[in-house]
């Protein structure tokens, strides 16, 4: 799969201008994906209302996410697509997921952080997808943070999705590293 390009477009969910569009070339042809950074809704060109991909997605998706589904025309036009709130899991950092607000018919974003499991306790957390290995982090369900349904970017930022990676140092013809800083010339 080769990425062909990405850009920000207007979201069909909330009309914000912070909807991230990416296009990829696959063996089956180009696919566009969208993630609205305001609402947290996502879709792609394979999610047409009569597609097998959508049928399979609905079989594997939590009821809340199915209930929040929207059928919308994608940015730039075309056939209506199914849009769903996203759920993101980053094992070292945590999770962002939609959650109902108790006592209402509304919902919002919940963030739980990943916390280290002491080495002596890791045997209590086997990784079912990799027999013989154990998780090094678990989700801290006691210290959740909640965000409004149109504050997905804030929730993602709380999770640490946008943290800048540390600058790399490189060695150039010497015994030590030099910081990667721009030239003043």
């Amino acid at each position: 799969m080769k990425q062909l390009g990405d850009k920000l477009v207007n979201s069909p969910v909330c009309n914000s201008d912070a909807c991230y569009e990416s296009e990829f070339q696959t063996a089956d042809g180009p696919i566009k994906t969208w993630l609205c950074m305001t609402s947290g809704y996502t879709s792609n060109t394979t999610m047409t209302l009569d597609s097998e991909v959508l049928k399979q997605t609905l079989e594997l998706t939590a009821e809340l996410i199915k209930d929040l589904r929207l059928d919308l025309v994608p940015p730039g036009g075309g056939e209506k697509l199914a849009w769903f709130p996203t759920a993101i899991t980053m094992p070292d950092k945590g999770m962002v997921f939609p959650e109902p607000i108790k006592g209402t018919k509304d919902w919002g974003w919940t963030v739980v952080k990943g916390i280290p499991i002491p080495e002596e306790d890791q045997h209590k957390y086997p990784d079912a997808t990799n027999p013989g290995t154990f998780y090094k982090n678990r989700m801290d369900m006691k210290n959740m943070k909640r965000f409004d349904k149109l504050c997905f970017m804030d929730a993602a930022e709380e999770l640490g999705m946008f943290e800048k990676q540390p600058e790399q140092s490189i060695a150039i013809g010497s015994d030590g590293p030099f910081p990667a800083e721009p030239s003043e010339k």
Side-chain angles (χ1 to χ4, degrees):
M1 183 164 39
K2 178 183 176 189
Q3 185 167 3
L4 300 175
D6 56 356
K7 62 183 176 181
L8 289 175
V9 296
N10 282 2
S11 169
V13 176
C14 65
N15 203 35
S16 81
D17 61 358
C19 186
Y20 183 73
E21 178 183 279
S22 292
E23 187 170 2
F24 299 89
Q25 182 63 46
T26 69
D28 296 329
I31 293 177
K32 281 187 182 178
T33 65
W34 296 273
L35 174 58
C36 174
M37 297 306 292
T38 302
S39 70
Y41 271 77
T42 186
S43 189
N44 66 65
T45 51
T46 68
M47 298 295 278
T48 58
L49 304 186
D50 61 349
S51 70
E52 279 302 313
V53 172
L54 178 57
K55 289 176 190 166
Q56 291 172 0
T57 298
L58 292 172
E59 289 175 15
L60 302 171
T61 299
E63 289 303 315
L64 173 65
I65 292 175
K66 286 193 266 191
D67 291 345
L68 296 173
R69 170 184 165 180
L70 299 173
D71 296 338
L72 302 167
V73 173
E79 189 175 348
K80 274 190 179 180
L81 304 173
W83 291 71
F84 296 97
T86 193
I88 296 174
T89 302
M90 300 172 73
D92 293 345
K93 293 185 183 234
M95 300 185 308
V96 175
F97 55 91
E99 183 180 39
I101 298 171
K102 289 183 181 178
T104 74
K105 292 186 180 194
D106 210 359
W107 65 280
W109 294 104
T110 297
V111 176
V112 294
K113 297 273 184 112
I115 55 175
I117 301 169
E119 199 169 326
E120 63 272 8
D121 292 336
Q122 289 178 8
H123 69 279
K124 298 176 188 174
Y125 300 89
D127 181 348
T129 60
N130 295 303
T133 63
F134 303 91
Y135 289 107
K136 294 179 179 7
N137 294 290
R138 65 177 181 81
M139 298 302 132
D140 183 8
M141 301 303 283
K142 292 180 182 172
N143 294 302
M144 297 183 203
K145 284 200 173 179
R146 292 186 169 89
F147 296 83
D148 182 77
K149 65 184 171 190
L150 291 179
C151 293
F152 175 76
M153 191 178 308
D154 294 335
E157 186 172 38
E158 175 67 26
L159 183 62
M161 285 181 59
F162 307 117
E163 288 178 0
K164 187 175 178 181
Q165 296 300 316
E167 292 286 332
Q168 297 278 333
S169 294
I170 56 171
I172 303 175
S174 75
D175 294 339
F178 290 88
E181 296 176 5
S183 169
E184 291 185 26
K185 292 183 182 181

